[in-house]
Amino acid sequence: MSFTFRTSFLALAAGASLLGTSALAQATREYTPVTDEMILNPPAEDWLMWRGTVDNHGYSQLDILNKDNVGDLELAWAWPMADLGLQETAALVHDGILFLQTNNSIVQALDAVTGDLIWEYRHPLPEISSTWGYQIYQSRRQKNSIALYDDKVYLTTVDAKIVALNAVDGKVAWERQVNDYSKGYSYTVGPLVVNGKIIAATSGCSITGTAGACYITGHDAENGEELWRFNTIDDPNNPLVDASWGDVPPENRWGGTPWATGSYDPRTNLTFWGIGMPAPYAELVRGSGDGDALYTNSTLALDADTGELKWYYQHLPRDNWDLDSPFERVLIDQEIDGEMHHMLVTVAGKNGIAFALDRDTGEYLWSMDTIYQNSVTHIDDDGTVHINEELVPTAIGQQVMICPSVSGGKLWQAASYSPKTEQFYVPLTEACNNVTAIQAEFTAGNATGSMTFGPRVLPEGITEAGLLQSIGISPDTPEDAWKHRQRTSMTSTVLATAGGLVFAGDAGRYIKAFDDESGEVLWEQRLNAPVGGAPTTYAIDGVQYLVVPTGYSAAAASSASMFPEVPLPSGAGNSIFVYKIGSATN
Amino acid sequence: MQNSESRKHRLKLGMALGILGFAGSLAPASAYTEEQAVTGRSQYTAQCAMCHGAQLEGGDAPGLTEDTMHNFNTVEGLFDMISVTMPPQMPGELGDQVYIDIIAYLLDFNGAVPDGDMLTPDPVVMANINLMDEITAGRLAGGGDAPEPEVAPSGLPQAFTWGQQLPGSEPVQTEPALPQAFTFGQDLPTVE
């Protein structure tokens, strides 16, 4: 499908006078609709979705900015985000407009060259009880992205709606209530839009009222009509799911939240999603015995048109420690001796283990440890994962030291794959924490974890919390390419580029550019707050821009005691800094 | 670790109060002083409120209401965490007394009632004070600045173990209104 029409719009007359001359100059801005073809093969100059492409590579083909000139980057403009809270966002760019989503479901459109505000959408949120602590916290957990398609911006909201905004003016085209927010459902990740369908993943599924169900849903992008719904913790089509929960009926199951945006393979029309941990966390309280608690901590391969499950693979069965495994599933193709290998590669969970699967069948190919972890003892050749049964709590009040901590290891900060180097760059944190199973009555709006966590501490013998690890990818065996270790933890998503650069940021407020082959630090800037969210890049008129989000970082705050000589700011500072390089060519 | 004797005592007392209808006048009190809570409020406002909110409602960081109290279980659990990790700009630097005073304020704000004894950073004492027990008991006496928790709709899901006696757990006295763990109320193994 190809759109040829263009939409024109006028800046609001009142707004234009407030915004000054640059807004007046944009009074006749045009917006080219995002087509299906663009989604599958985005222009290098744009950043259309969370990880740039539907294979979740987080890689830019732009090379205006490269190893030779990265030292010449200069600040083009900066912008404060519209609300406080955890900072996990990725700015999207199309047709010269930068779309920025911030906490509490606010979206802003900015001129990507000048930084002028074009429009702002503030989603009206329902009032909820102030005692619903975890649910309120979810609203301040900024989503990783919005999505662009056709002439719309798709927003998944704190109150469990999908909202379609007109890209040119931010006006609501339609909205659809997908789940009941009063039970605890919300969204903390943005949707994937492919083939005219919005695929959205529900959050909040560890909150009391959500018992029995957590969903991935498919919708018509034209009007939000629901086309299919897949429950990640109750599947009548697979008797192994009930068996894996022991005697626990669906109404006493929680978790299974798919809280990272999925990837998509147009060749098979499969969409791949990672699923989070079960709750209550400890099987002692969960009541599931030694069952695996499907489909928690798994990869799901779903038909994008129907939601039908094609295969699943569980990366961490029988989770007892809140070691979520929902993170980005990255699709990598490599041709070796004339044979094309279609892999799914992921550091799926907090315990940092890298996996490669055949993404057509779910067959296990290989795995490797990254950070120090003691949750998994070994993985069989057929991919069966064996947990460390010595660390399974067997009594209320029993304390065990588990590595990594509840904060990872790996967390929401996404890795990046460069097809140029065939290396996978993973942001990680070395940490352990004590966990203790507790038993308490669940309350409305709050989480059902039933576990206390001690402070994050460095594993014995390790003095550096931060690790950026590069893994050479092949279908047969992974290669330990290079490691960059540092005292402060890695707090941002990673961006790799055709310019030979890997960008990643840390709790010490540094954004760094690494040489993609050696790991050498080629450039760094110290900013106002921990670097969070996803650095992204775009180009306009021969100038390449680099967007660096900063702000309040739970990953930084929870690990700061491991590097007390690098104090965090007490202000939040949620912002984006936009750097540029190159000459405008018009 | 939870002090099972203390909790048993409180459960029995709570039942007795319920039967006698004397909850308002005989509610159990918590092991901290009013002065501690006042000092703790001042320290909280200076050191914590910028992230956790002036009314403990959260901001950047989580709200310090029931969810947090559940998560940390006992005063010891909360102290062990915050005395090492907080505030992020000076982790572990405030001194034990400041941390314990801040905990006194958190208890007080959420509904606990002071009993005139100083709360001290003694590990045994702290391990014997369950945060939610103190808050629940105090609320019976009308304590605290926090808004009344919303009455939960009946029939909310609970863990599969809810109502069961799990190892290390105490017998459950009432039918829960919300869904609970499958093991709820079971006698689960507990560390002695």
Side-chain angles (χ1 to χ4, degrees):
Chain A
M1 191 177 356
S2 175
F3 291 85
T4 54
F5 67 90
R6 284 173 176 258
T7 308
S8 297
F9 77 97
L10 294 174
L12 293 173
S17 62
L18 293 173
L19 294 171
T21 53
S22 57
L24 288 171
Q26 296 162 14
T28 55
R29 181 185 289 279
E30 295 179 329
Y31 186 83
T32 311
V34 174
T35 64
D36 289 287
E37 290 80 2
M38 287 183 199
I39 292 286
L40 297 181
N41 189 19
E45 293 77 17
D46 284 356
W47 195 272
L48 291 184
M49 63 198 83
W50 177 47
R51 301 302 290 136
T53 45
V54 293
D55 51 21
N56 271 355
H57 281 192
Y59 174 81
S60 169
Q61 298 179 48
L62 293 173
D63 61 1
I64 302 169
L65 171 62
N66 54 54
K67 293 180 188 181
D68 294 331
N69 62 13
V70 65
D72 298 327
L73 272 173
E74 59 181 280
L75 188 67
W77 53 275
W79 179 255
M81 292 188 194
D83 209 343
L84 45 64
L86 279 65
Q87 203 289 93
E88 301 180 5
T89 200
L92 307 186
V93 177
H94 177 60
D95 232 5
I97 299 177
L98 184 148
F99 299 93
L100 180 67
Q101 178 210 217
T102 53
N103 283 331
N104 284 312
S105 305
I106 300 168
V107 182
Q108 294 174 324
L110 298 145
D111 184 296
V113 172
T114 65
D116 287 311
L117 181 68
I118 299 169
W119 56 257
E120 175 177 288
Y121 171 73
R122 285 181 174 265
H123 184 68
L125 290 170
E127 283 192 21
I128 61 174
S129 167
S130 61
T131 63
W132 293 18
Y134 191 79
Q135 197 162 338
I136 292 169
Y137 190 53
Q138 289 279 75
S139 71
R140 299 189 180 104
R141 259 195 50 203
Q142 190 162 309
K143 292 184 293 296
N144 59 7
S145 73
I146 44 185
L148 304 178
Y149 178 64
D150 197 8
D151 57 354
K152 302 291 191 301
V153 176
Y154 294 99
L155 168 70
T156 51
T157 69
V158 169
D159 56 343
K161 291 178 179 173
I162 297 175
V163 178
L165 304 172
N166 294 323
V168 293
D169 60 11
K171 301 264 186 268
V172 176
W174 55 259
E175 66 175 43
R176 180 165 291 265
Q177 186 77 53
V178 179
N179 291 302
D180 183 353
Y181 71 87
S182 71
K183 290 183 175 178
Y185 289 117
S186 64
Y187 284 112
T188 63
V189 297
L192 170 71
V193 183
V194 290
N195 291 345
K197 294 179 182 64
I198 303 164
I199 303 173
T202 307
S203 281
C205 305
S206 58
I207 293 175
T208 306
T210 69
C214 197
Y215 300 109
I216 301 170
T217 55
H219 304 261
D220 187 331
E222 287 290 322
N223 52 26
E225 179 190 352
E226 186 171 315
L227 304 174
W228 55 263
R229 174 173 286 244
F230 186 87
N231 186 346
T232 64
I233 53 174
D234 182 18
D235 182 0
N237 295 320
N238 182 1
L240 294 177
V241 172
D242 273 348
S244 76
W245 285 84
D247 295 328
V248 181
E251 58 265 30
N252 297 102
R253 301 175 193 169
W254 288 265
T257 299
W259 58 283
T261 304
S263 48
Y264 174 70
D265 183 352
R267 190 176 52 84
T268 55
N269 198 38
L270 291 181
T271 181
F272 305 91
W273 293 77
I275 310 300
M277 81 291 152
Y281 304 144
E283 66 191 41
L284 172 69
V285 181
R286 195 162 64 230
S288 55
D290 61 2
D292 292 344
L294 291 170
Y295 296 107
T296 66
N297 294 328
S298 299
T299 295
L300 303 184
L302 304 173
D303 184 287
D305 289 336
T306 65
E308 182 188 355
L309 180 68
K310 294 298 185 183
W311 59 260
Y312 64 93
Y313 174 84
Q314 192 170 34
H315 301 269
L316 180 63
R318 198 182 162 187
D319 184 1
N320 272 271
W321 314 282
D322 189 13
L323 293 181
D324 272 276
S325 301
F327 307 124
E328 68 284 355
R329 271 48 175 174
V330 179
L331 311 185
I332 296 174
D333 291 341
Q334 285 183 357
E335 185 176 340
I336 298 174
D337 297 332
E339 183 186 359
M340 185 63 82
H341 297 264
H342 303 288
M343 293 176 279
L344 180 150
V345 175
T346 180
V347 176
K350 290 176 181 173
N351 64 11
I353 301 173
F355 289 85
L357 309 175
D358 180 317
R359 71 169 180 267
D360 291 348
T361 63
E363 179 194 358
Y364 168 85
L365 300 177
W366 52 256
S367 62
M368 74 178 281
D369 277 3
T370 56
I371 45 93
Y372 173 72
Q373 67 87 23
N374 63 3
S375 60
V376 167
T377 56
H378 62 286
I379 298 175
D380 295 337
D381 289 343
D382 68 358
T384 303
V385 177
H386 298 271
I387 66 162
N388 186 346
E389 297 192 18
E390 292 180 5
L391 296 180
V392 174
T394 55
I396 299 294
Q398 179 190 350
Q399 193 174 73
V400 297
M401 177 66 86
I402 187 82
C403 311
S405 79
V406 63
S407 306
K410 177 74 164 60
L411 205 62
W412 58 264
Q413 301 95 310
S416 175
Y417 175 74
S418 167
K420 171 177 157 288
T421 61
E422 298 189 332
Q423 292 177 30
F424 190 48
Y425 307 99
V426 189
L428 298 155
T429 299
E430 299 274 12
C432 306
N433 64 192
N434 275 315
V435 299
T436 308
I438 61 170
Q439 193 178 29
E441 184 170 355
F442 302 151
T443 55
N446 291 309
T448 59
S450 304
M451 183 85 82
T452 70
F453 300 96
R456 318 314 175 231
V457 296
L458 287 163
E460 194 174 343
I462 294 177
T463 57
E464 294 169 311
L467 170 62
L468 179 65
Q469 181 160 353
S470 176
I471 302 170
I473 301 298
S474 80
D476 300 324
T477 182
E479 180 197 350
D480 206 349
W482 54 261
K483 292 178 182 174
H484 169 86
R485 291 189 181 273
Q486 58 176 54
R487 278 282 290 167
T488 54
S489 56
M490 309 307 295
T491 52
S492 87
T493 281
V494 177
L495 166 69
T497 75
L501 299 168
V502 176
F503 291 93
D506 64 33
R509 301 164 15 229
Y510 282 101
I511 175 71
K512 297 179 179 178
F514 299 85
D515 184 306
D516 62 357
E517 295 281 2
S518 69
E520 181 188 355
V521 177
L522 301 177
W523 172 83
E524 64 181 24
Q525 288 269 292
R526 197 165 208 199
L527 300 174
N528 64 333
V531 179
T536 54
T537 188
Y538 59 93
I540 297 173
D541 294 337
V543 177
Q544 185 175 349
Y545 297 83
L546 171 71
V547 186
V548 183
T550 64
Y552 184 84
S553 165
S558 64
S559 61
S561 56
M562 295 193 292
F563 38 86
E565 77 281 11
V566 188
L568 301 188
S570 55
N574 290 7
S575 305
I576 57 170
F577 291 82
V578 180
Y579 292 89
K580 69 176 181 179
I581 199 153
S583 304
T585 59
N586 287 329
Chain B
M1 255 135 283
Q2 177 166 310
N3 180 337
S4 56
E5 283 308 310
S6 149
R7 191 169 177 216
K8 274 180 194 164
H9 173 73
R10 188 154 292 119
L11 284 169
K12 286 175 185 167
L13 180 57
M15 289 172 67
L17 293 172
I19 293 164
L20 298 173
F22 287 162
S25 57
L26 294 179
S30 295
Y32 66 90
T33 67
E34 194 171 342
E35 292 73 24
Q36 269 190 296
V38 170
T39 304
R41 177 179 189 164
S42 171
Q43 291 289 350
Y44 174 88
T45 303
Q47 303 291 352
C48 319
M50 77 285 257
C51 294
H52 291 284
Q55 297 295 307
L56 284 64
E57 75 278 17
D60 291 316
L64 299 176
T65 52
E66 280 188 32
D67 198 44
T68 298
M69 299 302 143
H70 274 299
N71 284 346
F72 289 101
N73 203 30
T74 65
V75 169
E76 184 192 36
L78 185 54
F79 179 86
D80 283 354
M81 173 62 89
I82 69 171
S83 66
V84 173
T85 63
M86 292 290 132
Q89 66 273 23
M90 291 189 297
E93 295 295 317
L94 301 184
D96 286 358
Q97 194 57 49
V98 171
Y99 290 112
I100 206 75
D101 289 347
I102 288 172
I103 290 174
Y105 172 59
L106 300 184
L107 281 166
D108 200 75
F109 183 94
N110 278 295
V113 175
D115 72 352
D117 290 334
M118 283 280 285
L119 180 60
T120 64
D122 178 300
V124 176
V125 171
M126 293 192 297
N128 288 340
I129 304 173
N130 180 282
L131 295 161
M132 277 312 296
D133 284 355
E134 300 299 324
I135 290 166
T136 303
R139 282 178 181 161
L140 283 172
D145 300 324
E148 280 300 301
E150 188 164 297
V151 175
S154 61
L156 278 187
Q158 296 292 343
F160 187 52
T161 58
W162 180 247
Q164 297 176 14
Q165 186 79 25
L166 297 179
S169 68
E170 293 299 322
V172 175
Q173 303 289 332
T174 57
E175 276 298 308
L178 299 181
Q180 298 293 339
F182 185 57
T183 58
F184 187 79
Q186 289 181 9
D187 189 7
L188 293 179
T190 303
V191 172
E192 294 300 322

